[in-house]
Amino acid sequence: MTATPTLDQKPAGPPPAGFGLDGKRRRLADRAFKLAAMASGLSVLAILVLIAVSTSQKAGPALRDEGLGYITGSRWAPNVDVFGALAFISGTMIVSAIALALAVPVSFGIALFLSEFAPRRLRQITIYVIDMLAAVPSVVFGLWGLIVLAPWIVKVYDWIADTVEPIPVLNVLFGQPVTGRSFFTAGIILALMITPIVTSLTREVFDTVPTGQKEAAWALGATRWEMVRGAIFPHSRSGMIGAVMLGLGRAMGETIAAALVIGSSARLTLHLFGSGDAMAAVIANQFGESGGLHRSALVAMGVVLFAMTIVVNMVARAIAGKTVSAAPVRGRR
Amino acid sequence: MLRSNSGMVKVAALAVALALGAAACGSGDNTGTGTGSGTKLTGTLKGSGATFPKGFYEVAIEAFGTVQPGLTIEYPGGGSGTGRQNLQDGVVDFAGSDGLVKDEDKPKYKGEFLYFPTVAAPITVSYNLGVKDIVLDADTIAKIFQRQITRWDDPAIKTHNPGAKLPSTDIVVAHRSDGSGTTENFTKYLVAAAPNTWTLKAGSTVEWPADTQAGNGNAGVASIVKDTPGAIGYVDLSDAKATGLTFATIVNKSGKPVKATLDAASAALANATVNADLSYNPLNADGDTAYPITAPTWILAYKNQADPAKGAALKAFLTYVLTDAQDLAAVVDYAKLPDGLRQKALAQVDAIVVPAA
Amino acid sequence: MTAPAPVRAPLDLTATNVQRARRVRNGLATAFVYGSVLVAAIPLGFLLLYVIKKGAGVVDLDFLTKDIPIVSRLPGPGMGPAIAGTLLITLAATLMAVPLGILAAVYVTEYGQGSKLAGAIRFLSDVMAGVPSIVMGLFIYTIWVLSFGQSAFAGALALGALMLPIVIRSTESMLRLVPNALREGSAALGASKSRMIMTVVLPAALPGITSGSLLAVARAAGETAPLLFTIGAARHVNLDIFAGSNAALSTQIFANAQQPFLGAQDRAWGAALTLIVLVLVLTVVARVISRRFTLR
């Protein structure tokens, strides 16, 4: 006769789930793990604080020297210790604007395609194409842009410049003399680079539209495009803006591709087919040789760029909420 | 992109030079410590700086590698400004610089440093136009680079080139985006030779006018000139020839038009006064055959070396550059130092203090 | 008797009767959408074809193993040290960033609900994701290289700092997707919290975490700016991570792209092909893991 277990008898079976330890040691191990996790979290804080302290310390001298003139001055002359970053801030904004103007319609189109228009096989192929675009490192984009795109696209610029010669505003933006290593070429390269991220973020936003809304549109007899306009866009507007802003943030921080094709010319200008410079590219090009106040000015430029990126990301977050994040997860496909 | 025949020939000549250099350097123990067989050196010497002499240093380092295979020497370039700053920061063991350190910057270094002249070469005014052998003088060059002359068929250029068919192409000016000893020497020449025309002063960075293009390193400027019709830029002879560029004949101080050749550079070097610290200025030199934009270059190194192994390696490398490697200079289009200057430099190598191992 | 009120024909919803204007608009929209895919795919196609064409002509066993030549003008192999450097630096960065990031994400999701610290960490990791890569390079140069010299480790620090916020955010999302039922079941069996995380939650989220981390690694392998001033310019393979300069494919491409000499440019194309292949392999592995192993 098998003895029925009574309450004061330990049942046979696996030990309690606690590392095989019991009581105090188990609680200690648990505690240790929690502390390790907390310490890791704090490390993020620590690194960021370190970055903030170290960069503002280094940037201090130049910013104090120039004051507000650092941002409003357009003369950048390291040999006489005059540092006005306006030309570069403007350059960054111009290149980013071009990149957005080119990338955003295309990205929205691709996202719509993946979300609503594509038959299943084409959808898969398109996803591969976008992944491939995201996989190309920025320096390879720069290499191709410098050696292949720039020499070829000069002819296009030339033709456009000659065509818009008589038109008032356009001939300032697109007039002669044109050069392959210019704002516009850098904008094209950056557009290619930010397309994957804007596309994938926008697509995630489109996918959150409740099917009920879409079906309601169908039920009313809408064409596919009308369904998109009526059900998807209104629901996704804030998410789309957020995606665009995150693309902007990415374009502003892009260093290497821009450095290779932008032309490295420190002037305040709106001539899109002419050379210019952008903040990140200037830092990369001039940091090695800089010392003293010059180096401080370059670190200050990094701080300004960082601040601008933070603002853009915060605005994105505010508009789009949690639906878009700066570090998108592409887990589900 | 067509590769000019002269470019291919240069490449072949370079390869031959390397082979010869390797063969010749196994034997032959010139003056200096440790160049030949004997002490086997190991480790890594790090350098950075001027792209002007980079063509020569690379060949010298390669040849030196056959003498001291255990020693690795890194010289990625970066521009004279980067070299000097890296030496200040202590990130490299020696710096290449075509320009001298300003007095107010000297305290920033980690100790006393010495200038070692290594080679010299013409700075060419290279251009991309179908016309060969354009003649320019200092005033015209100054006006071109200041964007006062904007087309190739400008009367100022025509006066020096009466027979040439100059098209009305726009001139695209190319200069350096990084802090450059080549820029410094080029602008120093313009200050000396065109004092009433050149207003941008001299320095490793210059506030160039708008509508100009910038490249990274001598190679970057060469790249722009090569790819842009109508472009003009200042490039060292070695990079200009290796890229297959055409360059101008310059009217020198004596009023004679002189092509950019090594002989003309040597003529400029011969007349230069050498200071006690071995700095000298061959720019805008006197003499009928002197090329007016002949530029010097130095290796900067600390007098008191901290690391015995690195110190020994540095001395051996410098000695090699000032002895056996001088014969390689001409093959890659650099002018070797005049013998008097070279001997002084070698004597200065002995002044480097290396702690006992 | 008045005339009967006119009766409207019943609305015909068959597609053929949709007004032409609406149909045209729909057609244009469809064309636009298909067209935008082409607009992205065509330059990409040109780029890849060019890299493959130029790179394949250069990449061979010699190219992958020989040292970087000292004379940069001449053609010839190789990029061995750059490949070794990229792998070494990326591996080191991964070993630092991934465990740290996963633990930090664990803290935020499992221990930190509602706590101000967790909220701050999440916010700050978002901020950190926005640090421009060049600024990270400057930062490491200032606090590490000036004191300890250039090395693979310095580069790894810069890359790791760039990877960290991405790892944290993607891990956090994956952990959130783990159903609470699993956590509750584990607690009901008497598991301590750390035990529950280690044996239930993490394994459930593991495919997503792995794929997210691999994507971060792929991105880091292609980074150039953080390495520009931190690793130097070695020509031989250097497996010593803490001492001596090193090389990387990205920095080599950057340097060689600006040279007019075809020999140098060819090496750049070969390095570009190698780098793309490397990044692609990592991306594909990440996708495969994510698709195959994720619990749905």
Side-chain angles (χ1 to χ4, degrees), chain C residues 213-279:
Chain C
S213 306
L214 277 176
L215 288 174
V217 174
R219 173 119 181 251
E223 283 285 348
T224 319
L227 301 180
L228 281 179
F229 315 114
T230 47
I231 64 169
R235 287 189 339 264
H236 309 298
V237 174
N238 179 9
L239 292 176
D240 186 345
I241 195 178
F242 289 104
S245 351
N246 222 306
L249 286 168
S250 46
T251 48
Q252 282 295 315
I253 298 172
F254 183 63
N256 281 322
Q258 301 175 72
Q259 307 269 324
F261 313 114
L262 292 182
Q265 287 183 1
D266 282 343
R267 279 192 292 278
W269 289 113
L273 181 61
T274 315
L275 188 57
I276 288 187
V277 166
L278 177 66
V279 170

Side-chain angles (χ1 to χ4, degrees), chain A residues 15-325:
Chain A
F19 294 116
L21 311 165
D22 40 79
K24 192 190 274 184
R25 267 181 290 171
R26 174 180 148 181
R27 280 196 291 277
L28 269 175
D30 200 42
R31 217 53 198 312
F33 185 81
K34 178 174 178 177
L35 283 176
M38 199 188 313
S40 307
L42 287 174
S43 73
V44 176
L45 231 90
I47 296 178
L48 212 49
V49 165
L50 200 55
I51 294 180
V53 165
S54 145
T55 47
S56 39
Q57 221 178 22
K58 280 241 103 189
L63 289 174
R64 258 175 270 133
D65 213 48
E66 296 287 337
L68 205 58
Y70 185 78
I71 305 185
T72 56
S74 60
R75 184 175 169 218
W76 182 269
N79 49 331
V80 290
D81 277 349
V82 170
F83 299 108
L86 187 61
F88 308 130
I89 298 176
S90 141
T92 302
M93 298 318 312
I94 291 177
V95 164
S96 307
I98 298 175
L100 283 183
L102 296 173
V104 164
V106 172
S107 303
F108 284 172
I110 301 178
L112 265 185
F113 181 76
L114 291 173
S115 234
E116 301 301 327
F117 283 78
R120 193 177 322 141
R121 229 174 355 135
L122 278 185
R123 178 183 299 149
Q124 213 31 59
I125 297 180
T126 309
I127 293 179
Y128 289 148
V129 167
I130 298 303
D131 277 351
M132 203 53 242
L133 206 52
V136 177
S138 81
V139 67
V140 175
F141 272 118
L143 172 70
W144 179 77
L146 182 61
I147 296 186
V148 180
L149 185 65
W152 173 82
I153 208 166
V154 168
K155 309 190 200 127
V156 176
Y157 292 166
D158 224 0
W159 180 83
I160 296 180
D162 290 334
T163 316
V164 301
E165 185 81 41
I167 309 174
V169 170
L170 288 182
N171 64 0
V172 168
L173 289 177
F174 300 112
Q176 294 281 2
V178 300
T179 164
R181 298 163 74 237
S182 58
F183 280 127
F184 207 83
T185 315
I188 295 177
I189 298 290
L190 283 189
L192 284 172
M193 290 176 61
I194 66 174
T195 298
I197 184 168
V198 178
T199 303
S200 82
L201 288 174
T202 312
R203 192 189 154 204
E204 282 176 19
V205 170
F206 286 167
D207 284 345
T208 62
V209 173
T211 357
Q213 298 252 6
K214 296 196 268 191
E215 287 171 355
W218 290 125
L220 287 171
T223 62
R224 182 156 282 160
W225 170 239
E226 286 162 351
M227 181 274 290
V228 165
R229 273 185 59 203
I232 295 191
F233 280 168
H235 191 269
S236 315
R237 198 159 297 146
S238 57
M240 286 161 75
I241 297 180
V244 168
M245 303 232 62
L246 284 172
L248 172 63
R250 176 89 198 270
M252 289 189 337
E254 181 44 56
T255 313
I256 293 298
L260 284 172
V261 300
I262 200 170
S264 307
S265 164
R267 58 192 177 125
L268 193 55
T269 176
L270 281 176
H271 184 204
L272 301 183
F273 285 165
S275 308
D277 224 337
M279 294 162 81
V282 165
I283 301 174
N285 276 330
Q286 296 189 5
F287 188 76
E289 74 208 29
S290 63
L293 207 58
H294 188 191
R295 182 165 283 183
S296 170
L298 289 174
V299 177
M301 200 177 314
V303 168
V304 171
L305 180 59
F306 186 18
M308 285 164 71
T309 323
I310 292 181
V311 165
V312 165
N313 284 344
M314 292 299 111
V315 169
R317 217 142 176 256
I319 294 180
K322 289 250 178 73
T323 52
V324 289
S325 102

Side-chain angles (χ1 to χ4, degrees), chain C residues 139-157:
Chain C
F139 167 62
I140 298 292
Y141 183 83
T142 315
I143 65 165
W144 184 271
V145 174
L146 283 182
S147 317
F148 302 107
Q150 294 168 328
S151 64
F153 186 68
L157 281 178

Side-chain angles (χ1 to χ4, degrees), chain B residues 316-341:
Chain B
F317 176 58
L318 286 172
T319 310
Y320 186 79
V321 165
L322 292 165
T323 53
D324 291 351
Q326 293 284 306
D327 295 323
L328 296 173
V331 186
V332 269
D333 299 308
Y334 291 90
K336 58 198 235 176
L337 298 174
D339 216 45
L341 181 56

Side-chain angles (χ1 to χ4, degrees), chain B residues 58 62 73-74 89 238, chain C residues 70 72-73 141 235 245 258:
Chain B
E58 285 180 345
E62 175 121 24
I73 306 183
E74 294 167 6
D89 290 339
S238 185
Chain C
I70 174 67
S72 52
R73 290 179 195 164
Y141 183 83
R235 287 189 339 264
S245 351
Q258 301 175 72

